[in-house]
Amino acid sequence: MKSDISPLNGLTVDNTMGEEELLARTAWFYYHDGLTQNEIGERLGLTRLKVSRLLEKGRQSGVIRVQINSRYEGCLTLEHALLERFPLKHLRVVPQLNSPNLSQRLGVGAAQMLMAVLQPQQLLAVGFGETTMNTLQHLSGFIASQQIRMVTLSGGVGPYMTGIGQLDAACGISIIPAPLRASNASVAQILRQERSVQDVMLAACAADVAIVGIGALDQKRQATILRSGYISEGEQLLYGRKGAVGDILGYFMRPDGQLADPMPIHDELIAVSPEELATIPTVMGVAGGKEKAEAIVAALKGARINALVTEEATARAMLAFL
């Protein structure tokens, strides 16, 4: 008579074991003992495919419930909540950390995302700002090895130098040869008509991917556009009274993401316009800090960006505006 109990690697396996018991044993071996699916199959006399199907059935039926006890778990929940509200192509929420180096940490996250998105020899358009420049600092080797070409999205060499200066000599970047903001609209129009300026701006509009910072009026004196001298504190207060909450490339947005008008600064900028920016397939915003939450939400509502890198506390503050 054939026995229903068979030895296997020193373990006896009951061939009449029901599927529920097999599932329980499989889950225990996999999640508690850390065995591979092949090792479980050898112990239970099952194929690797059968083990895989048992684990999947357990997850779908609720018999197996995976709890993620990690500082990243909150980030994944926030990413899910944001993706339910906005059709983002790419999203990363980095963990909250009590550190003053938020810009550096966001730069690392943005660099990792760009490494996954960019293809060899593609064109990357870069906006000004501390966090975007930190991103470039972590991309130098990748840009050189993948022959990524770069171009600026606005005039104003100064705000770009902290990032450009860290790039490998093999990294090529075309810079718009003009200030970010002219003294008046007439001068800006003349500068935009210069052939050298037009050529770079046209190249920027043809980029495969763009990365931009998001400024916020709530940053007050810490806003890059203010610290760089392109707007005054008085103008910053005036823009707030006109309903603006933040800007991308110097173009100021209302809470709904539409441009705050009338704004003389918009006619004085030498920068890719919001309409031109929207033609770039992937526009990644990188920004963090609770004071930026409303401005980031505005950028999302106005479809100014379709990819985002931010951090946990900022994401929670963003959801409070929705």
Side-chain angles (χ1 to χ4, degrees):
M1 179 181 294
K2 186 175 180 180
S3 173
D4 288 332
I5 306 295
S6 61
L8 184 62
N9 292 336
L11 191 73
T12 57
V13 179
D14 189 344
N15 291 331
T16 62
M17 193 183 301
E19 185 174 74
E20 183 178 354
E21 186 177 355
L22 270 177
L23 194 158
R25 289 179 182 271
T26 298
W28 184 268
F29 286 146
Y30 189 73
Y31 289 102
H32 186 270
D33 295 327
L35 300 184
T36 67
Q37 292 184 16
N38 282 332
E39 289 170 335
I40 295 169
E42 291 174 0
R43 283 181 174 246
L44 298 180
L46 305 172
T47 65
R48 184 183 181 283
L49 179 61
K50 176 64 175 177
V51 172
S52 177
R53 286 176 175 170
L54 282 169
L55 290 171
E56 181 60 26
K57 184 173 182 178
R59 287 189 288 266
Q60 291 181 356
S61 65
V63 172
I64 298 172
R65 297 180 182 179
V66 180
Q67 180 176 348
I68 304 173
N69 295 314
S70 165
R71 61 178 180 152
Y72 289 97
E73 191 274 335
C75 300
L76 299 176
T77 301
L78 291 167
E79 287 176 3
H80 178 73
L82 288 172
L83 288 171
E84 282 190 325
R85 291 163 172 80
F86 301 105
L88 288 163
K89 295 172 68 174
H90 308 283
L91 172 63
R92 172 168 293 182
V93 177
V94 303
Q96 183 178 355
L97 186 65
N98 294 326
S99 166
N101 297 320
L102 176 58
S103 180
Q104 283 282 352
R105 295 175 60 246
L106 288 172
V108 172
Q112 291 173 346
M113 182 180 286
L114 285 173
M115 289 180 193
V117 171
L118 283 166
Q119 300 299 313
Q121 300 181 350
Q122 284 192 327
L123 180 60
L124 171 65
V126 183
F128 65 86
E130 181 182 355
T131 308
T132 53
M133 293 305 100
N134 281 328
T135 302
L136 288 189
Q137 293 175 14
H138 296 287
L139 274 178
S140 182
F142 173 82
I143 289 170
S145 65
Q146 300 300 306
Q147 299 180 335
I148 302 297
R149 296 167 294 130
M150 290 183 294
V151 60
T152 61
L153 284 163
S154 73
V157 177
Y160 286 98
M161 287 312 298
T162 55
I164 294 172
Q166 300 294 319
L167 293 173
D168 188 276
C171 301
I173 182 165
S174 299
I175 301 172
I176 295 175
L180 170 64
R181 184 183 184 185
S183 56
N184 57 60
S186 297
V187 173
Q189 184 176 10
I190 292 170
L191 287 172
R192 284 194 294 264
Q193 289 174 348
E194 286 291 326
R195 182 63 178 271
S196 58
V197 173
Q198 278 189 346
D199 287 346
V200 181
M201 291 185 71
L202 285 172
C205 295
D208 300 287
V209 179
I211 177 170
V212 295
I214 300 171
L217 293 185
D218 283 346
Q219 288 180 275
K220 302 189 183 302
R221 293 184 178 182
Q222 294 305 310
T224 298
I225 197 168
L226 176 63
R227 288 190 289 112
S228 299
Y230 290 113
I231 67 170
S232 67
E233 290 185 47
E235 285 178 312
Q236 189 181 58
L237 288 170
L238 178 62
Y239 298 162
R241 289 174 189 152
K242 289 189 174 182
V245 295
D247 78 286
I248 293 177
L249 299 176
Y251 293 96
F252 285 84
M253 307 169 290
R254 301 191 307 250
D256 63 359
Q258 300 306 306
L259 289 186
D261 287 320
M263 287 278 188
I265 186 176
H266 295 167
D267 295 324
E268 297 166 357
L269 294 169
I270 295 91
V272 169
S273 70
E275 294 76 21
E276 292 168 329
L277 187 66
T279 65
I280 298 174
T282 300
V283 181
M284 180 191 304
V286 52
K290 293 180 181 179
E291 70 280 0
K292 288 194 176 186
E294 188 176 15
I296 299 171
V297 169
L300 291 170
K301 285 183 176 180
R304 305 297 178 188
I305 57 174
N306 56 17
L308 174 66
V309 177
T310 190
E311 62 86 48
E312 193 172 357
T314 311
R316 294 186 191 281
M318 289 168 58
L319 291 169
F321 282 103
L322 299 175

